[in-house]
Amino acid sequence: MMVMTAKVDMKKVMLALAAVAALVLSLILLLGGGGDTAQTSAPAASSNDDRVKFLTDFGWDVTTSPVESSQVKIPDQSSEVFDRYNALQKGQGYDLSKFAGKKVMRYVYKINNYPGATEPVYATLLVYKNEIIGGDVTDTAAKGKIRGFKMPEAAASTPTTTAPSETTASETTATTAATQPT
């Protein structure tokens, strides 16, 4: 039987463990594990050009300056109106409940190429820390809809019922109430 012994320098072991811990912490911070943002893949919106590009990437022709910009607060508490609006957001890959109680910027752009529009149509972008966290496209006609950013195939194919991905324009007031200006 053979017995081996080794002398271990505890200072070197502790130094090596500290180096490994620092490397792991650096990787976590570098890869996004240390941020305060609720949605890591949100589109950038640090400038007006970024916001316009976001909308044109969906095929929209918009005025290049917002017709309105204001700060709004995402509600702390859920409500029926908020839940309906957030269902639209979730259908687009966003979730406003992650931003409950936060103040966000709301930018509204006029859409110039909405298929079959008889009244003005607007795109609303909600921006938090220079990232788009949600929004909608609102047809202000009497029977208009609030829908996601995706351009409809054609005016004739627009559904006539209200689905989670769209709400009637008459609910615009209620939706606006869900994100009150501060």
Side-chain angles (χ1 to χ4, degrees):
M1 168 151 93
M2 183 189 245
V3 176
M4 296 181 78
T5 60
K7 186 176 180 182
V8 177
D9 185 354
M10 287 306 285
K11 285 184 180 181
K12 288 182 182 178
V13 170
M14 296 304 284
L15 190 59
L17 287 175
V20 169
L23 179 64
V24 169
L25 180 61
S26 297
L27 285 174
I28 289 172
L29 292 175
L30 182 66
L31 297 176
D36 178 31
T37 59
Q39 190 168 347
T40 58
S41 63
S46 58
S47 70
N48 186 61
D49 289 342
D50 289 342
R51 294 185 296 273
V52 170
K53 182 180 180 331
F54 174 81
L55 294 168
T56 58
D57 285 349
F58 282 98
W60 298 117
D61 172 32
V62 299
T63 55
T64 56
S65 295
V67 296
E68 180 186 338
S69 63
S70 60
Q71 191 175 59
V72 296
K73 183 179 177 185
I74 305 298
D76 291 329
Q77 305 267 329
S78 184
S79 68
E80 183 181 336
V81 172
F82 177 78
D83 290 343
R84 233 183 1 242
Y85 188 70
N86 202 34
L88 171 91
Q89 301 311 309
K90 288 179 178 180
Q92 303 185 102
Y94 302 109
D95 184 359
L96 295 178
S97 64
K98 295 177 182 179
F99 301 94
K102 304 279 188 203
K103 291 181 180 180
V104 304
M105 284 302 296
R106 178 177 173 259
Y107 298 94
V108 181
Y109 294 85
K110 185 173 188 281
I111 293 178
N112 302 313
N113 65 333
Y114 192 90
T118 58
E119 298 293 327
V121 177
Y122 298 98
T124 299
L125 298 176
L126 299 173
V127 177
Y128 180 71
K129 291 189 176 181
N130 294 323
E131 293 182 340
I132 296 169
I133 62 166
D136 63 78
V137 171
T138 302
D139 180 354
T140 63
K143 292 189 179 187
K145 305 261 185 231
I146 298 174
R147 59 184 324 116
F149 295 123
K150 185 179 177 201
M151 183 180 281
E153 297 291 324
S157 67
T158 304
T160 57
T161 60
T162 303
S165 63
E166 54 186 42
T167 51
T168 61
S170 63
E171 294 174 312
T172 302
T173 305
T175 302
T176 303
T179 54
Q180 287 296 313
T182 56

